[in-house]
Amino acid sequence: MKISTRVEYGMLALADIALYAENGTSVSAPDIAERQNISQKYLEQILTQLRQAGLIRAQKGLRGGYALSREPDKISIAEILNALDNSILEELSIAEGETGRSLRSAVNTCLWERMNGLLLDFAKNKKLSEFIQECRDRLSGEWDLYII
């Protein structure tokens, strides 16, 4: 599967915010950009998109930055993907005249529609909180292997 850098960086930014902006604190764009090795200018565009979609909120001031706008268990991966690139989860459109008993119709139904349905179900049912917990588990596992 091929995804755009906007989607990749958007998911990274949301994961960073969810991991580092706990207990009402916020995370600054420069901090996210540095930790994730993303151009700050490009990141700001992505953060604006996420803010406009209602996924994050911006806080101004000395301790300003970004925080999730609601609890991570109230945000689905589908909502995030649609905010960043609404074409990822689009329904597969079968060309007109390709219904019936043609091989093309069978392939579309048996493979592409089914794969699209699985992706859509996964994205709708997977919550940001689950995704973040899996990231935490994976990151903590890396520290367990560190030997001096």
Side-chain angles (χ1 to χ4, degrees), residues 38-107:
I38 302 172
S39 156
Q40 186 177 336
K41 185 175 181 180
Y42 189 41
L43 177 63
E44 289 284 357
Q45 294 172 11
I46 294 168
L47 292 171
T48 297
Q49 228 175 333
L50 293 171
R51 187 181 50 75
Q52 289 172 343
L55 297 170
I56 60 174
R57 59 183 162 73
Q59 294 177 281
K60 294 183 180 185
L62 183 60
R63 298 193 186 270
Y66 297 90
L68 296 177
S69 62
R70 39 196 154 117
E71 294 300 315
D73 61 339
K74 304 284 189 225
I75 301 172
S76 72
I77 298 299
E79 190 177 0
I80 298 166
L81 293 176
N82 284 329
L84 295 167
D85 180 355
N86 62 4
S87 69
I88 293 176
L89 298 177
E90 275 183 349
E91 289 293 320
L92 182 68
S93 57
I94 299 172
E96 270 188 53
E98 294 301 333
T99 59
R101 294 181 164 239
S102 71
L103 180 57
R104 184 178 307 265
S105 173
V107 168

Side-chain angles (χ1 to χ4, degrees), residues 76-146:
S76 72
I77 298 299
E79 190 177 0
I80 298 166
L81 293 176
N82 284 329
L84 295 167
D85 180 355
N86 62 4
S87 69
I88 293 176
L89 298 177
E90 275 183 349
E91 289 293 320
L92 182 68
S93 57
I94 299 172
E96 270 188 53
E98 294 301 333
T99 59
R101 294 181 164 239
S102 71
L103 180 57
R104 184 178 307 265
S105 173
V107 168
N108 283 340
T109 302
C110 298
L111 183 63
W112 304 124
E113 283 182 4
R114 204 157 168 214
M115 284 177 62
N116 191 61
L118 291 170
L119 177 61
L120 190 57
D121 284 345
F122 174 82
K124 282 182 177 178
N125 294 312
K126 185 76 159 186
K127 300 298 180 188
L128 181 60
S129 57
E130 297 171 277
F131 168 65
I132 294 305
Q133 187 56 52
E134 290 171 7
C135 289
R136 277 191 182 109
D137 294 346
R138 187 171 181 110
L139 291 170
S140 69
E142 289 180 9
W143 289 105
D144 294 341
L145 299 175
Y146 186 73

